[in-house]
Amino acid sequence: MRTGSLYTFLTALILTPTTAWATQVQLPNLAFPYDTTRDRQDVIQIFSDSYEAYRKFAFGHDEVAPLSQTALDPRNGWGATIVDAMSTMYIMGLTDYFNEARDFVRNIDFSNPRTSGTVSVFESTIRYIGGLLSAYELSGEGDSFMVDKARQLADKLTFAWAPGGTVPYGFVDFGSNSPQQATSNIAEAGTLTLEWSRLSKHCGNDTYRRLAESAALRIANNPSPLPGLPAQGIDPSTGQPVGGYVTWGGGSDSYLEYLIKYARLSNTDDHTFADAWYTAVDSSVLYLMRESTVGQHQYLADYDDDKRIRHVGSHLACFYAGNWLLGGRLAGNETIVNWALQLNEACWNTYSSDATGIGLETFAFASSDGGYTGSVSGVPAAQLPFYLKHGYYVTGPSYIQRPEVLESNFYAWRTTGNPTYLDRARSAVESFKTYLNTSTGFAGIQDVNSKNPTKIDDTESFWFAEVLKYLYLTFDDPKHISLDDYVFNTEAHPLKAPQAKDTYGTGKLRPSTTSKFAYRPGALPEVSPKTTVGMVVQDVLKGLPIRKRETSMIRTRHKTRHH
């Protein structure tokens, strides 16, 4: 239970605006302290080298395997890299690539997957629908076929909702137009509002917005284990929570991310979204925030089914710093902003402390209340020297081209103007050039603490959509794709935002529903890297030999956020 005095004190700090420009996100008159032309060129070169490898060995397929120089189709074979990369191409001014992509998109048949198996509602929404609508808006809204293609896909994905249901299932069989009936999670079900509402706007059919909103509102209004922080699992057949696990990491992340982003993008008069986000932040500070015993790094821990704190972190979860910077600025609240910057420092520490200067997949830490992670109760002896030096220790050593730390670094630069964040982005570019470069593009690595790491034979589509876009925009004119003019979906596709309202939400926390929360056991969907490369990464984490590449599509996901 909260203590009354602590609750009142923190609530007053978090929810009271403290600046005169409450809804201005970017620092006014932001300017570079040095010339960043070369930095932008470096990022464009990485993009071009990566994309040329894709064009040569995998064009029209979802991803390229740069080491074996073959194609992969983990996203139903519709050309995920092409669609995911289009908004970045346009932003970078890569006109030839963009025009080629436009021509390709004209001929995609989203009603007919090119691979066997089901179609992910979440992944298809953030990559394909989000990518198409962003490219449509950025390029002047002249290519109506992009909206038509997004609608074609969305019409098939609507079969994820059972008749009378408010929460979609996670996967749809396009052959039978029926959902795969299984437990979902709140990130899969609650990360549709940005894309589907924007689709409604462009095609004049409000059905898509209503479906997406109904799912997010059901999650927000369900009883929760902690105030404002829903259980990760959800049963689409009933709309009820499954389990009681709470995290800002994979499986929950982008539901929380979209609460404040949807409020901003839509300017909705429904205060549920903004108030639910503020309540989640308040609850996270009170219940999840932990400081490492070494380095005094601030992390958001997990809360498990047994109501125990798990001292774990992940690259995926590190989006929270950027998300809190956005919401804190919209609230005009420096307390949230300062917490966000501290969270950002801890996440960057996982880059600067690793041998390659690149962040790892998962990590753990200890705080004053212990070091329980779900499997161990303290820092393992073999990891103790590393922990005592860096304030975290390694539980998953790979880097699979994730964006979240650099995403938050981008928000930190745009909101504060501190040149440290430019220097960090430059450092990441140099590390990528040194350790991810291959003779045919760029690839992930299996161990960020090896100066000669084994590479992972895959170039993720979100490498183009997210990592390279956030890096480029960090070095680009701050007025270009301003955070006051655009809202990024969880795949970093910018959508044009209306003029901001004066305030978002009521300024009050939502009533706690924890007394009504009932634990319901059930299996949760896997939250993991996707497809065949995901299987390789999981083997590495388990210390198993690397298996040969599979050719069939495996229905897992790279994230349930981005990230």
Side-chain angles (χ1 to χ4, degrees):
M1 297 295 292
R2 309 178 197 230
T3 63
S5 59
L6 178 61
Y7 172 74
T8 302
F9 174 70
L10 283 176
T11 300
L13 279 178
I14 289 180
L15 296 181
T16 302
T18 56
T19 70
W21 39 287
T23 53
Q24 188 165 355
V25 177
Q26 283 200 180
L27 184 71
N29 304 314
L30 180 61
F32 291 111
Y34 49 75
D35 185 16
T36 59
T37 302
R38 176 63 181 273
D39 299 289
R40 292 194 301 277
Q41 291 173 343
D42 282 348
V43 178
I44 290 174
Q45 190 64 55
I46 293 174
F47 183 100
S48 298
D49 290 348
S50 301
Y51 197 71
E52 282 299 324
Y54 168 78
R55 291 180 75 240
K56 183 175 182 179
F57 298 110
F59 190 82
H61 293 273
D62 289 336
E63 294 171 356
V64 64
L67 306 183
S68 57
Q69 299 179 352
T70 56
L72 301 170
D73 282 313
R75 300 296 168 213
N76 305 102
W78 288 315
T81 288
I82 296 171
V83 180
D84 233 1
M86 286 182 74
S87 61
T88 308
M89 294 170 184
Y90 194 87
I91 287 169
M92 289 182 175
L94 299 173
T95 305
D96 290 345
Y97 286 158
F98 185 81
N99 289 337
E100 179 184 63
R102 288 171 66 253
D103 292 340
F104 177 84
V105 165
R106 288 180 187 272
N107 297 311
I108 299 176
D109 181 5
F110 281 113
S111 67
N112 183 26
R114 296 177 60 198
T115 60
S116 61
T118 55
V119 179
S120 167
V121 177
F122 168 79
E123 296 288 0
S124 300
T125 292
I126 65 172
R127 297 174 194 247
Y128 290 122
I129 296 178
L132 288 167
L133 296 179
S134 179
Y136 170 72
E137 292 187 359
L138 288 170
S139 60
E141 302 188 8
D143 292 325
S144 60
F145 67 87
M146 293 188 188
V147 176
D148 294 338
K149 293 297 182 181
R151 184 175 186 174
Q152 181 186 45
L153 177 55
D155 284 344
K156 296 289 281 188
L157 295 178
T158 59
F159 289 103
W161 279 264
T166 57
V167 176
Y169 287 94
F171 296 86
V172 176
D173 184 327
F174 275 25
S176 63
N177 288 334
S178 61
Q180 181 185 59
Q181 298 194 12
T183 301
S184 188
N185 59 50
I186 62 173
E188 287 185 348
T191 307
L192 309 174
T193 49
L194 268 63
E195 299 86 355
W196 287 52
S197 66
R198 190 46 56 99
L199 178 60
S200 285
K201 175 180 182 291
H202 288 309
C203 71
N205 183 342
D206 201 43
T207 299
Y208 309 108
R209 179 196 63 81
R210 289 189 285 105
L211 285 171
E213 272 199 12
S214 71
L217 289 170
R218 178 58 192 258
I219 296 167
N221 290 322
N222 272 342
S224 57
L226 295 173
L229 292 169
Q232 184 181 77
I234 192 165
D235 183 352
S237 69
T238 64
Q240 296 294 330
V242 174
Y245 200 90
V246 171
T247 180
W248 280 78
S252 300
D253 42 11
S254 49
Y255 160 75
L256 296 165
E257 174 189 3
Y258 271 31
L259 288 172
I260 193 63
K261 286 187 172 182
Y262 183 61
R264 174 64 187 93
L265 182 67
S266 68
N267 277 349
T268 176
D269 292 327
D270 188 338
H271 297 306
T272 301
F273 299 95
D275 287 354
W277 185 84
Y278 294 134
T279 305
V281 170
D282 174 79
S283 193
S284 298
V285 172
L286 289 173
Y287 297 109
L288 304 182
M289 190 74 75
R290 292 294 186 276
E291 183 178 272
S292 64
T293 56
V294 174
Q296 289 71 57
H297 301 295
Q298 299 294 330
Y299 301 109
L300 294 184
D302 288 1
Y303 178 87
D304 68 16
D305 289 350
D306 298 320
K307 301 182 180 180
R308 295 187 65 180
I309 287 292
R310 294 195 179 188
H311 301 75
V312 296
S314 67
H315 203 294
L316 277 173
C318 281
F319 87 96
Y320 49 46
N323 189 244
W324 285 31
L325 286 168
L326 172 66
R329 286 293 189 226
L330 289 175
N333 187 285
E334 286 303 300
T335 300
I336 298 177
V337 169
N338 289 335
W339 278 121
L341 292 173
Q342 291 183 64
L343 291 169
N344 189 60
E345 288 301 301
C347 286
W348 180 256
N349 182 54
T350 66
Y351 270 61
S352 61
S353 296
D354 291 332
T356 58
I358 301 172
L360 70 176
E361 179 73 359
T362 58
F363 57 91
F365 61 95
S367 63
S368 61
D369 60 345
Y372 178 69
T373 66
S375 58
V376 299
S377 297
V379 181
Q383 294 271 23
L384 191 58
F386 188 92
Y387 176 75
L388 291 176
K389 185 176 182 180
H390 301 299
Y392 71 94
Y393 63 93
V394 177
T395 58
S398 62
Y399 174 70
I400 61 165
Q401 300 175 306
R402 292 205 189 275
E404 291 78 16
V405 174
L406 296 172
E407 171 186 353
S408 288
N409 186 73
F410 162 71
Y411 277 89
W413 158 246
R414 287 284 187 94
T415 56
T416 71
N418 187 333
T420 294
Y421 305 118
L422 294 176
D423 297 339
R424 290 175 177 178
R426 179 176 283 179
S427 171
V429 169
E430 291 304 313
S431 290
F432 291 162
K433 289 162 61 178
T434 301
Y435 297 106
L436 306 188
N437 201 359
T438 77
S439 61
T440 50
F442 286 70
I445 54 177
Q446 291 177 355
D447 187 353
V448 296
N449 280 301
S450 169
K451 286 294 189 75
N452 187 27
T454 300
K455 291 184 173 65
I456 298 169
D457 194 12
D458 187 30
T459 302
E460 300 279 358
S461 74
F462 52 85
W463 171 250
F464 302 96
E466 300 186 73
V467 177
L468 300 181
K469 182 186 287 105
Y470 283 127
L471 282 170
Y472 180 82
L473 288 175
T474 301
F475 299 122
D476 197 21
D477 182 351
K479 292 188 287 295
H480 186 208
I481 317 296
S482 167
L483 292 175
D484 294 314
D485 298 330
Y486 289 87
V487 174
F488 291 85
N489 87 331
T490 196
E491 196 78 353
H493 296 304
L495 298 169
K496 183 68 175 177
Q499 183 175 347
K501 300 198 302 183
D502 291 335
T503 59
Y504 289 90
T506 64
K508 298 178 182 178
L509 297 180
R510 304 193 77 210
S512 175
T513 59
T514 56
S515 63
K516 300 177 182 178
F517 177 75
Y519 177 85
R520 298 173 180 84
L524 299 182
E526 184 180 6
V527 177
S528 73
K530 53 91 188 103
T531 74
T532 53
V533 67
M535 297 165 64
V536 172
V537 173
Q538 292 302 309
D539 286 350
V540 171
L541 301 189
K542 295 174 183 176
L544 301 175
I546 299 176
R547 69 181 79 190
K548 293 182 179 180
R549 177 177 304 280
E550 304 286 345
T551 57
S552 61
M553 188 182 79
I554 309 300
R555 291 191 304 271
T556 55
R557 56 216 55 86
H558 83 83
K559 64 178 184 181
T560 43
R561 182 189 87 67
H562 158 274
H563 321 181

